[in-house]
Amino acid sequence: MYSKAKICTIIVFTCLVGILAYQCGGALYAPTALDAERVQVNLDTLLLGRQLYIRNCGGCHHLYLPEKYTQTQWKEIVARMQKPAKINDNQAKIIYQYLSAGAKP
Ligand code: HEC
């Protein structure tokens, strides 16, 4: 039998791992070949977009989930965030492609 203290430790540990995974973008959807097909964007581009998003957009606030905004909203947001994120037009475009592929309908 596990002692109460041991069960407590396991629960706390599981929560910490969960929080860490979330912070590192674990909750962000990972694009699949189906997504690529649906939005007609190369899968490698979508995967790169996810990486760029995690790397460039999580420094000042948490990473907003793609499904939180519509494609139109993401277009406007990425344009507004490009300067603070110090990314070039191409990087902004690739990040937008990833976000819009998972956007709210
Ligand atoms: C230098 C800091 C900084 C970086 C880097 C940054 N943001 Fe932001 N972001 C902000 C601030 C400040 C706000 C809130 C005020 C505002 O809306 O301008 C915000 C707000 C947001 C919001 C909330 C919705 C909204 O309309 O305000 C989203 C979504 C967002 N950012 C996405 C991004 C994306 C995508 C990137 C990467 C391209 C990014 N952010 C990079 C500072 C940053």
Side-chain angles (χ1 to χ4, degrees):
M1 263 310 277
Y2 288 120
S3 70
K4 260 192 187 148
K6 240 181 197 164
I7 291 173
C8 227
T9 312
I10 291 169
I11 291 173
V12 168
F13 186 72
T14 312
C15 287
L16 282 179
V17 170
I19 290 167
L20 274 180
Y22 182 80
Q23 294 284 330
C24 300
L28 285 174
Y29 87 99
T32 64
L34 272 176
D35 295 308
E37 173 83 29
R38 182 171 45 83
V39 295
Q40 293 291 299
V41 175
N42 203 305
L43 179 56
D44 286 342
T45 307
L46 292 181
L47 288 166
L48 177 64
R50 186 176 186 272
Q51 286 310 311
L52 288 173
Y53 180 53
I54 293 169
R55 221 176 294 152
N56 296 287
C57 302
C60 303
H61 43 66
H62 70 275
L63 290 169
Y64 293 84
L65 292 179
E67 57 265 37
K68 190 162 194 276
Y69 298 100
T70 63
Q71 293 189 349
T72 317
Q73 288 173 314
W74 275 124
K75 187 153 226 152
E76 182 266 317
I77 291 166
V78 173
R80 182 156 41 86
M81 290 293 144
Q82 183 175 346
K83 218 182 207 156
K86 298 192 180 77
I87 50 173
N88 64 34
D89 290 353
N90 194 42
Q91 291 168 318
K93 184 180 168 199
I94 295 169
I95 290 172
Y96 168 72
Q97 284 175 317
Y98 165 71
L99 292 170
S100 75
K104 187 161 79 177

